[in-house]
Amino acid sequence: QVQLVESGGGLVQAGGSLRLSCAASGRTFSTYLMGWFRQAPGKEREFVARISRSGVNTYYADSVKGRFTISRDSAKNTVYLQMNSLKPEDTAVYYCNIWGTSVWGQGTQVTVSS
């Protein structure tokens, strides 16, 4: 069973940046499409970004397009989410996911103050 562990969350002022990491166990990481999702208090979990197995193709929610960048390093079995120009509405718990599966990390809290 692959396990995912997120890190990198924290408190940042509006306009600031954070980089989230998602480390995966197992040897088959490069075979997975990977995604980032987030869940704000009182709201449903929503899609943020997705990356292909090769890392060449990426896809973003409209709300983060142009501000967030998803990437992966297969040698490190890690997916990243670089978040720039953060807004208070980006405040949420961020989760990584093996796309199309029920494999999720434990989440990392991102709080953006105004």
Side-chain angles (χ1 to χ4, degrees):
Q1 175 85 11
V2 176
Q3 292 186 325
L4 304 175
V5 179
E6 299 99 334
S7 61
L11 173 64
V12 64
Q13 289 187 331
S17 298
L18 284 173
R19 188 176 81 155
L20 306 183
S21 299
C22 171
S25 63
R27 301 180 179 179
T28 57
F29 173 74
S30 61
T31 67
Y32 303 133
L33 278 74
M34 298 294 298
W36 282 98
F37 291 74
R38 66 186 181 186
Q39 187 166 17
K43 296 187 176 181
E44 293 188 353
R45 192 170 297 189
E46 66 175 5
F47 166 76
V48 174
R50 185 180 76 215
I51 189 166
S52 64
R53 296 174 182 87
S54 66
V56 171
N57 297 307
T58 57
Y59 184 72
Y60 299 91
D62 287 344
S63 59
V64 306
K65 200 173 296 183
R67 300 187 298 122
F68 290 11
T69 302
I70 187 171
S71 62
R72 66 192 298 163
D73 184 337
S74 292
K76 296 182 178 180
N77 280 9
T78 301
V79 175
Y80 303 98
L81 186 68
Q82 177 67 44
M83 306 186 295
N84 299 327
S85 302
L86 282 161
K87 305 175 181 179
E89 51 263 43
D90 294 318
T91 295
V93 178
Y94 284 71
Y95 300 89
C96 64
N97 166 253
I98 297 177
W99 191 263
T101 76
S102 60
V103 180
W104 297 85
Q106 84 289 352
T108 185
Q109 176 71 49
V110 172
T111 303
V112 184
S113 63
S114 57

